[in-house]
Amino acid sequence: MLKKYFLSDTKRNFSTASIWIKGGSDMDIVGKKGINKILSSLLTRGCEGYNNFTLSEYIESYGAELNQEVFEDGISISIKSLNEHFSKLFPLIDLIINRPTLLEIEFQKVKKSSIDFIKKEKENPFNICFEKWKRIVYLNHPYAFNTNGNATDVSMITYKDVLLEFNNFKSRDKYLISNNLEINGESIETLEKKPLEEQSRPINHDLSPNNRFDFNNNDSNQTIIMLGNQTCSRRSSEYLPLKVLESYLSYGMSAALFKIFREKNGITYDLGVYYPVRSGNAPFLVYLSVSNKKALFAFELLSSLWKDLLLNPLIDDEIFLAKEKLKGSLLLGNQSLDEILQRKIQLISYGISSISELDLISKIDEISSLDILKLTNKYLSKPFLSISGAKKVSLEIAKRWKQNF
């Protein structure tokens, strides 16, 4: 079923239509991880009346863009053009979704490209460390797996498998949003506003440190450390307090991570927090990379920061600044029409109604330090650790990990 929505408050000289298909890599079955990534790529490589070349040529002749991306919870396909060309390009969305050609020759190209991309990802120790972290946190849940799949599964996917997956794809709920009236959709402002009341699903906090740890041996002079846990759904009222915590830790040069690791000690190559929007329990992950010589010191600093977050609420100045940075980030995200439409249609698919920026800022202002402290203890008291580095360094960190966590 397709539901259409119109965002009326964006007066621009170009139009974007974005469709969100509910169900992305989370629909990949065991032994076929990566099949929805292949299907998504194949959809945009030809549809009724167009082969791959003529479709690309037609879109480019109007200076337009066609994009597709697979997420854990859905597939996004969008088309953007100047307003005067939109009526000629918008019908392509329907053809791509409902009448793709799905040619076997294109399938072979996409499959090879997927395998090549997966192999290239494996060359980066950061990706390996992250994949291991997801596996110990989510076990067999769909969020444990890469949206691109793995080389073994992808190599076994057949053309017939993709055709069968398309039959499943056709029955999935679909949501279309645009800033152009031609889509004849419901105004997003008329949607009923519902409070976020969903409770998070239970998380197993009883695992021993050994079961919450994994490492990958690499020969570089760099150690990568990832620490965190799964948290709540975007539908939960706990989502925003955790966004404030993310802001406190990682937004800008006033962030706690930057001040501790860069400003005071100057020891990290890269650092930040990964806290994406998810329909299910989203990961909250702190990551950093350092030289092997500084890895033990970095882990001690991170452990100290973690304990402080669990024991002490943020002081007034800290939470005020974190809230202001979060508000600024939200306003910055509203400058791009593509981002606005993508975010709103994704949330609608999750069952979350549109909320005005004023309402959102009001909710942020209501968050207290004690709210954040409570959630930090709920979700992060038994975190999971993944390391990529020299074996000797990793084992020493593992020893301290068992003592501290």
Side-chain angles (χ1 to χ4, degrees), residues 91-105:
L92 292 177
I93 289 283
D94 177 69
L95 294 175
I96 288 167
I97 296 299
N98 296 310
R99 293 190 286 279
T101 52
L102 302 180
L103 298 178
E104 186 169 6
I105 188 172

Side-chain angles (χ1 to χ4, degrees), residues 128-399:
I128 298 172
C129 189
F130 183 45
E131 293 302 315
K132 284 184 172 290
W133 184 86
K134 288 192 294 181
R135 286 295 182 93
I136 57 175
V137 173
Y138 288 104
L139 300 177
N140 293 318
H141 187 278
Y143 290 179
F145 303 96
N146 193 313
T147 56
N148 296 299
N150 60 74
T152 301
D153 280 15
V154 171
S155 66
M156 299 299 291
I157 293 171
T158 66
Y159 179 57
K160 183 179 178 181
D161 290 332
V162 173
L163 296 181
L164 289 173
E165 191 65 28
F166 179 64
N167 287 333
N168 174 287
F169 173 90
K170 289 189 289 187
S171 66
R172 299 177 199 173
D173 289 337
K174 301 174 181 67
Y175 305 83
L176 176 71
I177 191 170
S178 178
N179 64 316
N180 194 299
L181 280 169
E182 283 191 33
I183 68 162
N184 193 29
E186 177 184 357
S187 174
I188 202 168
E189 286 78 20
T190 65
L191 295 179
E192 179 185 359
K193 291 180 172 58
K194 301 175 183 178
L196 299 178
E197 296 176 347
E198 178 177 292
Q199 297 299 312
S200 62
R201 301 165 192 170
I203 299 173
N204 187 353
H205 286 300
D206 300 325
L207 294 174
S208 69
N210 280 338
N211 292 325
R212 291 184 283 111
F213 170 80
D214 201 356
F215 82 94
N216 172 66
N217 184 31
N218 78 61
D219 297 327
S220 71
N221 190 40
Q222 179 178 243
T223 298
I224 300 162
I225 301 172
M226 296 186 176
L227 184 65
N229 201 354
Q230 55 176 296
T231 58
C232 63
S233 163
R234 178 61 181 85
R235 289 184 294 270
S236 173
S237 58
E238 297 172 337
Y239 169 78
L240 275 180
L242 288 171
K243 286 298 289 183
V244 176
L245 176 61
E246 178 191 22
S247 172
Y248 165 72
L249 289 171
S250 64
Y251 286 16
M253 290 189 291
S254 62
L257 289 173
F258 184 90
K259 289 195 290 186
I260 293 170
F261 290 95
R262 287 261 180 87
E263 188 176 283
K264 294 181 181 179
N265 295 288
I267 61 171
T268 54
Y269 302 126
D270 189 22
L271 78 167
V273 172
Y274 179 66
Y275 182 45
V277 171
R278 291 284 184 271
S279 177
N281 291 345
F284 190 99
L285 170 67
V286 174
Y287 61 86
L288 56 92
S289 61
V290 297
S291 68
N292 290 339
K293 291 181 180 179
K294 298 292 185 180
L296 294 177
F297 179 47
F299 180 72
E300 291 299 331
L301 289 175
L302 182 57
S303 299
S304 177
L305 170 62
W306 209 268
K307 290 176 181 177
D308 187 55
L309 292 173
L310 293 171
L311 293 173
N312 303 308
L314 302 183
I315 63 174
D316 290 345
D317 286 348
E318 290 172 335
I319 193 168
F320 173 79
L321 182 57
K323 288 179 181 179
E324 292 303 303
K325 289 189 292 182
L326 178 57
K327 293 175 195 175
S329 173
L330 294 171
L331 292 173
L332 189 63
N334 273 338
Q335 293 183 12
S336 165
L337 177 62
D338 292 349
E339 286 185 33
I340 295 169
L341 296 178
Q342 168 76 25
R343 181 172 63 249
K344 288 188 179 295
I345 202 64
Q346 186 175 358
L347 295 184
I348 288 172
S349 78
Y350 292 169
I352 303 172
S353 57
S354 179
I355 181 171
S356 72
E357 301 311 316
L358 290 176
D359 289 339
L360 196 57
I361 287 172
S362 175
K363 288 182 179 294
I364 292 171
D365 286 334
E366 293 170 2
I367 295 168
S368 71
S369 294
L370 292 179
D371 293 331
I372 296 173
L373 183 65
K374 178 181 176 182
L375 294 178
T376 304
N377 279 275
K378 178 178 179 178
Y379 291 117
L380 303 178
S381 61
K382 295 287 185 180
F384 291 72
L385 174 67
S386 179
I387 300 171
S388 178
K391 185 175 182 180
K392 182 179 179 180
V393 175
S394 297
L395 291 178
E396 181 58 35
I397 291 177
K399 180 180 176 182

